Amino acid sequence: MERKKLLVIGNGMAGMACVDAILQQGPHFDITVLSEEPYYNYNRILLSSVLQGEKLVDDIYINTKEWYDANGIDLHLGAKAVDINAPLHQVVTEKGDIFHYDKLLIATGSDPFIPPIEGVKKKGVFAFRNINDVNAMTSHCEEAPGRAVVIGGGLLGLEAAYGLIKNNMQVTVVHLGNRLMERQLDEIGGLFLKREIEKMGIEVLLQKSTTRIMGKDRIESVQFKDGSIVEANMVVVACGIKPNIELAKKAGLKVNRGIEVNDHMETSDPDIFAVGECVEHRGMVYGLVAPLYEQGKVLASTIVGLKELTYEGTTLATKLKVMGIELFSAGDFLAEDPSMEVVAYEDHAFGVYKKLVVHNNRLIGSILIGDSRDSGRFLKLIRDEERLGDKRQNLLFETPPAVAGSPEDVMSLPDDETICGCIGVTKGQIVCAVKENNLKSLAGVKKCTKASTGCGTCAGTVEDIMRAVNGGELEEVADVLCECVPFPQEKLRNIVQTQKLKSVQEILDVYGNGVGCQVCKPALSYVIDEVWCGEHTEDRSARFINDRVHANIQKDGTFSVIPRMRGGLTNPNELRKIADVADKYKVKLVKVTGSQRLDLLGVKKADLPKIWDELGMPCGHAYTKAVRMVKSCVGAEFCRYGTQNSMQVGVDLEKELEGLYTPGKLKMGVVGCPRNCAEATVKDIGLIGIEGGWQVVIGGAAGKVVRAADILVTVSTTEEAFEAAKLFFQYYRENGKYGERTYDFVERLGLEKVRRETILANKEIQDAILNRLEKSKANTVDPWVVEAKRPATSMQFDEFVLPKDGAALLNNFPV
Amino acid sequence: MTNESEATWRLIGTRDSIPLREGRRVCFGDKEAAVFNLGDKFLAVESNCPHKQGPLEDGIVSGEAVFCPLHNWKIDLNSGDVIAGGEGHIATYAIKVEDDQLYIRF
């Protein structure tokens, strides 16, 4: 049977949530999606996190290419629909392409509302609506630091303001109304919020109507109706949104403020449906995410012909963290009718405000600022319209007051209490998923239940539930280095630094058993070397034999020698020298290694210095926890697919980092295109050439563990790629546990934290990291060069062979 | 080949030719010992680990014991007993220091 064609205009959260719901009803349609934005479906709520530098664009995609492919969705990116011909069942795009449909879903969302302000079209004025806006804003902040004026003190405006101070701008928020977030807060609530925001250094001006944005080439100031002026070089307009209904109008659909839909989510045309922010239902237009999901489910049931669900509107509730401040608002929170009772609590010192509105013995509205732990309980009372009865007495504070966020506290919640308001996931569903799948990570819960994939505010609660179900198993146990020095490694590093301990024995004497062992001694050697880089006493006896003789010990006590061949490049001269040395010292075997180098195996310890000297090649550090190599592919220089010059970049990267020691061995790869011939995606650090830039990946492995590397960042220049790689490299040197490879390191810390503290850290922190790296690098020496002629310790490469007649001298000693 | 009855003190070299907490191999005929400088004294054992013949002089010293560099067996330098990793025993040799000169009884 031929399936009907479903065409979707809009690739946003509402459209794709609805498509997801339709897919769950079975394979009813061939689905085509037209996306005006050139991006896969992403979480628009998290744009503020991107602006704030807490997330990267790559992190906020909800559905990737795989999802579209797996569901057979024909996605057209950059395809803007400009006309709907309802009688012909056709949609025309800006490029002139015509799409036919049997059923059409309009999910065009909304556009920012731009008030008629003089100069609002000038360069330097931004809206805050999509990925492009965020990218443009961050570039502007970087290029032109100064003061930004945010017009609009609603949720969006405040999130923008918070993002801008994180981008080192000074910020003034101007708001037309007499309080911030008037759609969510009463006057007192607005006051609490204003005070908290001002503490962050953001200026707030209320009852200001913006009239002009002044300046020629660049913005210089913003003028208000009362004549006052604020100097600024950037303006962000966040004055709300207006439903995008132009197409619907052209299609002849009934529209008011939004596209009118009934309780089955049908429009006035039987073959056209609409969902999300572009919709008006029972006179309401929603700008929040929860209604989108509810509408999507109903629409799915209608469009496949079931019609078993109806949408009756959503009780407006907002629970969020605005600029790190917990905030909850639901129902009728104003209590303007004198028959309504107000229960309130204000703690100005702690910035906590709680307000409940009771009417006819029922809870009808609430505001919580600074502590929104009870929001679930209140929202349930409001939604269920439950008669309060006895509950009225302890409404604000249930007895006994629970400890914030403790697992017991979470488990006392009823099973049907909503934990994730965005997706609508209850506590019972999360408990079920955790038990059935033995989940131990937030990522697991996200995958199974979709909880916490919206705004993410509930992540902590979800973790508490997991902890409670698993009996606290998520708790990390402090792991000490070894019994000799019973401290965790992070602590030891700190001790070494603050106590100015500069030798392994000193640490063992002061903080350990004075003796040490083969586990802690090399680890402490690493820590001291990393912290003091050269300002310390190197104690060779604390090093593994490989690090004393700069070669890798083999099972028969001989050693292997691997000279450095940067990027896997060599030449006839080097090969000749290697061949000569192999002949002269009767090397048992010459092998090409997995790291694109040559290994001379079966070398006697005593021959090592001579071999280094005669090779005249740099040490390859193949025997120790250090920078091993950069494996490279041929790249743009020869390869017909190459987009980047991977060989030269590989050689350069190796030069930048060679000679440095790391917690675990560190392998790198540079490839000129995503075909990945040199396997950069399974290296500790990889650079993957793409058209117009590089992807920097970290934490890959193909050894005992096989792990695909995570994308740290995508950049456009080699310079930026090096900087990102170096930031991660030094961060790993400083925070990795001895013996911990990057694949464990990245998993232990989490990619988010790694990014936040490296590529997303502020410039000062980044500079400091890079300076420490530079200092360490400046202190590196090639041990082969230094010790070929002068071993660091006596008889390092030799043994004592006593002469046959050596005993004669000593016969006078008593036995 | 020498046997125990022919054993006598033989000069190795100056005491500072073996660095603190490190070992060096000393050979005489077909005898091989690993001699360790423990600061307040020197100790010597047969140079190969009873497990897979790892070179003990290349091991890391821990108090008065050494860890074999191949598989981390731990050998007591006073008794020659294997004390961790497996079971076994190796010979020990007497060491003397006289006028900063180091002697082994081979």
Side-chain angles (χ1 to χ4, degrees), chain A residues 462-487:
Chain A
V462 173
E463 280 177 335
D464 283 343
I465 293 175
M466 226 177 345
R467 221 167 264 138
V469 174
N470 286 331
E473 258 186 74
L474 297 189
E475 299 291 342
E476 255 189 75
V477 201
D479 67 315
V480 299
L481 177 56
C482 85
E483 285 170 12
C484 306
V485 239
F487 292 92

mmCIF file of all heavy atoms in Angstrom, chain A residues 462-487:
data_model
loop_
_atom_site.group_PDB
_atom_site.id
_atom_site.type_symbol
_atom_site.label_atom_id
_atom_site.label_comp_id
_atom_site.label_asym_id
_atom_site.label_seq_id
_atom_site.Cartn_x
_atom_site.Cartn_y
_atom_site.Cartn_z
ATOM 1 N N VAL A 462 16.835 14.110 39.055
ATOM 2 C CA VAL A 462 16.921 12.805 38.398
ATOM 3 C C VAL A 462 18.073 12.002 39.002
ATOM 4 O O VAL A 462 17.941 10.812 39.296
ATOM 5 C CB VAL A 462 17.115 12.963 36.872
ATOM 6 C CG1 VAL A 462 17.387 11.610 36.220
ATOM 7 C CG2 VAL A 462 15.895 13.612 36.245
ATOM 8 N N GLU A 463 19.188 12.673 39.233
ATOM 9 C CA GLU A 463 20.337 11.975 39.824
ATOM 10 C C GLU A 463 20.028 11.514 41.246
ATOM 11 O O GLU A 463 20.426 10.418 41.647
ATOM 12 C CB GLU A 463 21.575 12.871 39.801
ATOM 13 C CG GLU A 463 22.233 12.871 38.434
ATOM 14 C CD GLU A 463 23.427 13.803 38.329
ATOM 15 O OE1 GLU A 463 23.488 14.789 39.102
ATOM 16 O OE2 GLU A 463 24.278 13.562 37.479
ATOM 17 N N ASP A 464 19.318 12.364 41.986
ATOM 18 C CA ASP A 464 18.929 11.968 43.346
ATOM 19 C C ASP A 464 18.083 10.703 43.315
ATOM 20 O O ASP A 464 18.255 9.801 44.129
ATOM 21 C CB ASP A 464 18.133 13.097 44.030
ATOM 22 C CG ASP A 464 19.059 14.209 44.498
ATOM 23 O OD1 ASP A 464 20.274 13.952 44.587
ATOM 24 O OD2 ASP A 464 18.555 15.310 44.769
ATOM 25 N N ILE A 465 17.153 10.656 42.373
ATOM 26 C CA ILE A 465 16.285 9.476 42.261
ATOM 27 C C ILE A 465 17.134 8.246 41.956
ATOM 28 O O ILE A 465 16.986 7.192 42.576
ATOM 29 C CB ILE A 465 15.224 9.685 41.151
ATOM 30 C CG1 ILE A 465 14.249 10.782 41.577
ATOM 31 C CG2 ILE A 465 14.487 8.383 40.856
ATOM 32 C CD1 ILE A 465 13.246 11.165 40.518
ATOM 33 N N MET A 466 18.068 8.415 41.015
ATOM 34 C CA MET A 466 18.926 7.298 40.633
ATOM 35 C C MET A 466 19.716 6.800 41.830
ATOM 36 O O MET A 466 19.823 5.615 42.089
ATOM 37 C CB MET A 466 19.892 7.801 39.574
ATOM 38 C CG MET A 466 20.010 6.863 38.415
ATOM 39 S SD MET A 466 21.072 7.472 37.143
ATOM 40 C CE MET A 466 21.320 9.151 37.441
ATOM 41 N N ARG A 467 20.237 7.760 42.582
ATOM 42 C CA ARG A 467 21.037 7.432 43.759
ATOM 43 C C ARG A 467 20.188 6.657 44.762
ATOM 44 O O ARG A 467 20.616 5.646 45.313
ATOM 45 C CB ARG A 467 21.535 8.729 44.388
ATOM 46 C CG ARG A 467 22.970 8.623 44.838
ATOM 47 C CD ARG A 467 23.524 9.993 45.170
ATOM 48 N NE ARG A 467 24.250 10.541 44.045
ATOM 49 C CZ ARG A 467 24.171 11.803 43.633
ATOM 50 N NH1 ARG A 467 23.355 12.647 44.250
ATOM 51 N NH2 ARG A 467 24.873 12.214 42.631
ATOM 52 N N ALA A 468 18.971 7.157 44.980
ATOM 53 C CA ALA A 468 18.099 6.517 45.959
ATOM 54 C C ALA A 468 17.750 5.093 45.520
ATOM 55 O O ALA A 468 17.797 4.154 46.314
ATOM 56 C CB ALA A 468 16.833 7.344 46.136
ATOM 57 N N VAL A 469 17.461 4.916 44.239
ATOM 58 C CA VAL A 469 17.086 3.588 43.740
ATOM 59 C C VAL A 469 18.275 2.634 43.809
ATOM 60 O O VAL A 469 18.158 1.484 44.194
ATOM 61 C CB VAL A 469 16.563 3.671 42.283
ATOM 62 C CG1 VAL A 469 16.323 2.277 41.721
ATOM 63 C CG2 VAL A 469 15.294 4.490 42.239
ATOM 64 N N ASN A 470 19.449 3.152 43.468
ATOM 65 C CA ASN A 470 20.636 2.300 43.456
ATOM 66 C C ASN A 470 21.275 2.154 44.827
ATOM 67 O O ASN A 470 22.354 1.601 44.947
ATOM 68 C CB ASN A 470 21.707 2.886 42.512
ATOM 69 C CG ASN A 470 21.330 2.690 41.065
ATOM 70 O OD1 ASN A 470 20.652 1.738 40.733
ATOM 71 N ND2 ASN A 470 21.753 3.596 40.214
ATOM 72 N N GLY A 471 20.645 2.705 45.848
ATOM 73 C CA GLY A 471 21.234 2.620 47.175
ATOM 74 C C GLY A 471 22.533 3.389 47.282
ATOM 75 O O GLY A 471 23.500 2.919 47.867
ATOM 76 N N GLY A 472 22.549 4.580 46.685
ATOM 77 C CA GLY A 472 23.709 5.462 46.851
ATOM 78 C C GLY A 472 24.944 5.014 46.094
ATOM 79 O O GLY A 472 26.040 5.474 46.354
ATOM 80 N N GLU A 473 24.762 4.111 45.123
ATOM 81 C CA GLU A 473 25.938 3.565 44.446
ATOM 82 C C GLU A 473 26.663 4.559 43.556
ATOM 83 O O GLU A 473 27.774 4.288 43.118
ATOM 84 C CB GLU A 473 25.540 2.356 43.601
ATOM 85 C CG GLU A 473 25.887 1.045 44.261
ATOM 86 C CD GLU A 473 25.610 -0.105 43.329
ATOM 87 O OE1 GLU A 473 26.401 -0.265 42.394
ATOM 88 O OE2 GLU A 473 24.611 -0.806 43.531
ATOM 89 N N LEU A 474 26.018 5.674 43.276
ATOM 90 C CA LEU A 474 26.666 6.631 42.405
ATOM 91 C C LEU A 474 27.809 7.357 43.104
ATOM 92 O O LEU A 474 28.665 7.917 42.465
ATOM 93 C CB LEU A 474 25.662 7.673 41.912
ATOM 94 C CG LEU A 474 24.515 7.163 41.064
ATOM 95 C CD1 LEU A 474 23.761 8.331 40.498
ATOM 96 C CD2 LEU A 474 25.015 6.274 39.958
ATOM 97 N N GLU A 475 27.741 7.318 44.460
ATOM 98 C CA GLU A 475 28.755 8.039 45.227
ATOM 99 C C GLU A 475 30.144 7.583 44.807
ATOM 100 O O GLU A 475 30.422 6.412 44.666
ATOM 101 C CB GLU A 475 28.584 7.752 46.724
ATOM 102 C CG GLU A 475 27.245 8.185 47.291
ATOM 103 C CD GLU A 475 27.082 9.693 47.334
ATOM 104 O OE1 GLU A 475 28.105 10.388 47.261
ATOM 105 O OE2 GLU A 475 25.933 10.149 47.433
ATOM 106 N N GLU A 476 31.036 8.543 44.627
ATOM 107 C CA GLU A 476 32.395 8.170 44.261
ATOM 108 C C GLU A 476 33.199 7.843 45.512
ATOM 109 O O GLU A 476 33.084 8.505 46.526
ATOM 110 C CB GLU A 476 33.069 9.337 43.538
ATOM 111 C CG GLU A 476 33.163 9.096 42.046
ATOM 112 C CD GLU A 476 34.017 10.145 41.386
ATOM 113 O OE1 GLU A 476 35.236 10.056 41.537
ATOM 114 O OE2 GLU A 476 33.441 11.032 40.743
ATOM 115 N N VAL A 477 33.983 6.808 45.446
ATOM 116 C CA VAL A 477 34.846 6.472 46.575
ATOM 117 C C VAL A 477 36.180 7.164 46.323
ATOM 118 O O VAL A 477 36.709 7.107 45.230
ATOM 119 C CB VAL A 477 35.095 4.949 46.624
ATOM 120 C CG1 VAL A 477 35.534 4.520 48.001
ATOM 121 C CG2 VAL A 477 33.868 4.186 46.168
ATOM 122 N N ALA A 478 36.683 7.793 47.374
ATOM 123 C CA ALA A 478 37.970 8.454 47.214
ATOM 124 C C ALA A 478 39.024 7.388 46.950
ATOM 125 O O ALA A 478 39.181 6.466 47.736
ATOM 126 C CB ALA A 478 38.311 9.231 48.482
ATOM 127 N N ASP A 479 39.724 7.472 45.818
ATOM 128 C CA ASP A 479 40.706 6.426 45.591
ATOM 129 C C ASP A 479 42.107 6.957 45.809
ATOM 130 O O ASP A 479 42.529 7.926 45.205
ATOM 131 C CB ASP A 479 40.524 5.761 44.218
ATOM 132 C CG ASP A 479 40.819 6.667 43.068
ATOM 133 O OD1 ASP A 479 40.350 7.834 43.123
ATOM 134 O OD2 ASP A 479 41.499 6.259 42.160
ATOM 135 N N VAL A 480 42.776 6.310 46.734
ATOM 136 C CA VAL A 480 44.103 6.770 47.110
ATOM 137 C C VAL A 480 45.113 6.187 46.126
ATOM 138 O O VAL A 480 44.854 5.197 45.466
ATOM 139 C CB VAL A 480 44.458 6.351 48.547
ATOM 140 C CG1 VAL A 480 43.484 6.968 49.513
ATOM 141 C CG2 VAL A 480 44.463 4.838 48.683
ATOM 142 N N LEU A 481 46.263 6.834 46.057
ATOM 143 C CA LEU A 481 47.293 6.409 45.104
ATOM 144 C C LEU A 481 47.759 4.989 45.428
ATOM 145 O O LEU A 481 47.685 4.097 44.604
ATOM 146 C CB LEU A 481 48.455 7.394 45.150
ATOM 147 C CG LEU A 481 49.646 7.047 44.264
ATOM 148 C CD1 LEU A 481 49.214 6.888 42.826
ATOM 149 C CD2 LEU A 481 50.700 8.116 44.390
ATOM 150 N N CYS A 482 48.248 4.764 46.629
ATOM 151 C CA CYS A 482 48.552 3.411 47.088
ATOM 152 C C CYS A 482 48.746 3.454 48.594
ATOM 153 O O CYS A 482 48.745 4.517 49.187
ATOM 154 C CB CYS A 482 49.742 2.796 46.346
ATOM 155 S SG CYS A 482 51.342 3.206 47.014
ATOM 156 N N GLU A 483 48.946 2.307 49.206
ATOM 157 C CA GLU A 483 49.021 2.266 50.670
ATOM 158 C C GLU A 483 50.215 3.048 51.206
ATOM 159 O O GLU A 483 50.194 3.513 52.342
ATOM 160 C CB GLU A 483 49.106 0.813 51.144
ATOM 161 C CG GLU A 483 47.772 0.101 51.050
ATOM 162 C CD GLU A 483 47.906 -1.396 51.283
ATOM 163 O OE1 GLU A 483 48.983 -1.847 51.730
ATOM 164 O OE2 GLU A 483 46.933 -2.115 51.002
ATOM 165 N N CYS A 484 51.246 3.155 50.403
ATOM 166 C CA CYS A 484 52.450 3.866 50.854
ATOM 167 C C CYS A 484 52.177 5.353 51.123
ATOM 168 O O CYS A 484 52.734 5.933 52.053
ATOM 169 C CB CYS A 484 53.563 3.765 49.823
ATOM 170 S SG CYS A 484 53.966 2.095 49.320
ATOM 171 N N VAL A 485 51.380 5.964 50.261
ATOM 172 C CA VAL A 485 51.004 7.387 50.429
ATOM 173 C C VAL A 485 49.493 7.462 50.297
ATOM 174 O O VAL A 485 48.978 7.669 49.205
ATOM 175 C CB VAL A 485 51.602 8.312 49.350
ATOM 176 C CG1 VAL A 485 52.457 9.386 49.944
ATOM 177 C CG2 VAL A 485 52.326 7.538 48.294
ATOM 178 N N PRO A 486 48.770 7.298 51.400
ATOM 179 C CA PRO A 486 47.314 7.130 51.299
ATOM 180 C C PRO A 486 46.560 8.434 51.044
ATOM 181 O O PRO A 486 45.769 8.887 51.857
ATOM 182 C CB PRO A 486 46.949 6.515 52.642
ATOM 183 C CG PRO A 486 48.004 6.981 53.565
ATOM 184 C CD PRO A 486 49.247 7.209 52.769
ATOM 185 N N PHE A 487 46.820 9.035 49.901
ATOM 186 C CA PHE A 487 46.082 10.240 49.520
ATOM 187 C C PHE A 487 45.602 10.088 48.076
ATOM 188 O O PHE A 487 46.291 9.462 47.273
ATOM 189 C CB PHE A 487 46.989 11.474 49.602
ATOM 190 C CG PHE A 487 47.405 11.835 50.990
ATOM 191 C CD1 PHE A 487 48.587 11.337 51.520
ATOM 192 C CD2 PHE A 487 46.609 12.650 51.775
ATOM 193 C CE1 PHE A 487 48.975 11.668 52.808
ATOM 194 C CE2 PHE A 487 46.990 12.988 53.063
ATOM 195 C CZ PHE A 487 48.182 12.484 53.584
#
